[in-house]
Every structure is written in C-alpha cells, then in structure tokens.
C-alpha cells in the first residue's frame, strides 16, 4: 500500500467515525425530547385534574390550570425545536433530506415524528419522516 492509499483510508475512517458521532448525538437529542416532554405533560394533566376535582378557591384553581397549560405549551415549543435540529426530514417524493425551519416544523401536521410538509427540492407536499443522517 502506498502512503496515498493509507492516507485515503484513514480519511474515510475519520469521516465514518464523525458520521456515527453526529448520528449518536441526534439520537441523544431525540431521547432528551421524550425525557422532557412526557413527564411535563403528565404533570400538567395531573395539575389540571387536581384543579378540577379538589375543593379550592377559584383563584387557586385558575392559577393552577394556567400554570399547567403554560408549562405544557412551553415544553412543547422546546421539544419541537429539539426535533427540528436533530437529524433531517426525508421527502417521500424525491427522497431529498433537509432541515426545515422551526416554524415549518412547528406548524406542520404530524403523527409522531412524521410531518406533512412541502419539500424545498421538488416543491411537493408529502409526509416526511425523521431520519438521523444526510445520506443513506
């Protein structure tokens, strides 16, 4: 093997290692999204049920429900930001992988991490799935 071939092989190994590292960081971000979202939603719903069924002054009931809803909405916006930054969305028509803007992600209809958005490459609307890497 020549020095050039060894150098090319090392460069390729480094690129693959960097790709795996980015993919793992994206996985960690998406796990973090779940770890902050689910407990917050459960806690917020619990607070609303308590405010609904436990005897308390009206102002406390309103404050509790308001705090719960603000908490849920704040964490929802943070979670969408995390999802938008981690990985890519793949167009089902042209298979382009791209990162949409925060508001495109936030306002898109979704089922889990699949969102109905317009592809910037082909311009068509499709259900775009979350993927962790740019290329296959």
């Amino acid at each position: 093997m020549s020095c050039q071939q060894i150098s090319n092989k090392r460069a390729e190994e480094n690129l693959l290692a960097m790709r795996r590292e980015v993919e793992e960081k994206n996985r960690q971000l998406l796990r973090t999204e779940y770890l902050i979202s689910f407990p917050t939603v459960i806690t917020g719903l619990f607070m609303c049920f308590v405010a609904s069924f436990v005897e308390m002054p009206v102002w406390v009931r309103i404050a509790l429900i308001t705090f719960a809803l603000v908490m849920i909405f704040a964490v929802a916006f943070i979670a969408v930001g995390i999802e938008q930054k981690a990985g890519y969305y793949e167009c089902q028509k042209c298979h382009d992988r791209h990162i949409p803007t925060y508001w495109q992600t936030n306002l898109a209809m979704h089922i889990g991490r699949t969102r109905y958005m317009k592809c910037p490459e082909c311009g068509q609307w499709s259900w775009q799935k979350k993927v962790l890497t740019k290329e296959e």
Side-chain angles (χ1 to χ4, degrees):
M1 257 196 199
S2 70
C3 288
Q4 182 67 30
Q5 289 174 328
I6 292 172
S7 177
N8 286 344
K9 186 174 180 176
R10 283 186 184 154
E12 188 175 311
E13 288 171 357
N14 287 341
L15 285 173
L16 287 173
M18 284 176 40
R19 183 177 176 181
R20 282 191 296 270
E21 186 177 318
V22 167
E23 190 174 330
E24 183 56 34
K25 285 184 180 181
N26 286 337
R27 268 195 199 93
Q28 287 175 352
L29 278 173
L30 294 174
R31 273 189 293 244
T32 302
E33 175 193 12
Y34 278 135
L35 289 175
I36 66 169
S37 298
F38 286 131
T40 303
V41 170
I42 298 299
T43 303
L45 290 175
F46 178 75
M47 290 167 69
C48 287
F49 282 123
V50 166
S52 298
F53 297 113
V54 173
E55 190 65 36
M56 62 181 69
V58 173
W59 71 270
V60 175
R61 187 181 314 267
I62 291 170
L64 196 58
I65 291 172
T66 302
F67 179 75
L69 293 177
V70 167
M71 182 177 67
I72 289 171
F73 279 110
V75 170
F77 280 104
I78 292 168
V80 169
I82 291 171
E83 182 180 325
Q84 182 256 340
K85 290 176 184 141
Y88 304 87
Y89 285 93
E90 181 177 19
C91 174
Q92 297 302 303
K93 308 284 184 179
C94 69
H95 300 288
D96 175 57
R97 293 183 178 193
H98 60 279
I99 300 173
T101 66
Y102 173 79
W103 286 108
Q104 287 172 328
T105 307
N106 197 11
L107 299 175
M109 291 186 294
H110 68 280
I111 301 171
R113 289 195 173 124
T114 302
R115 296 186 179 269
Y116 191 71
M117 296 184 286
K118 185 176 181 178
C119 176
E121 185 67 27
C122 68
Q124 295 186 18
W125 290 85
S126 68
W127 285 98
Q128 300 179 14
K129 293 183 178 181
K130 175 59 91 176
V131 292
L132 295 176
T133 58
K134 182 74 171 166
E135 294 100 24
E136 285 277 324

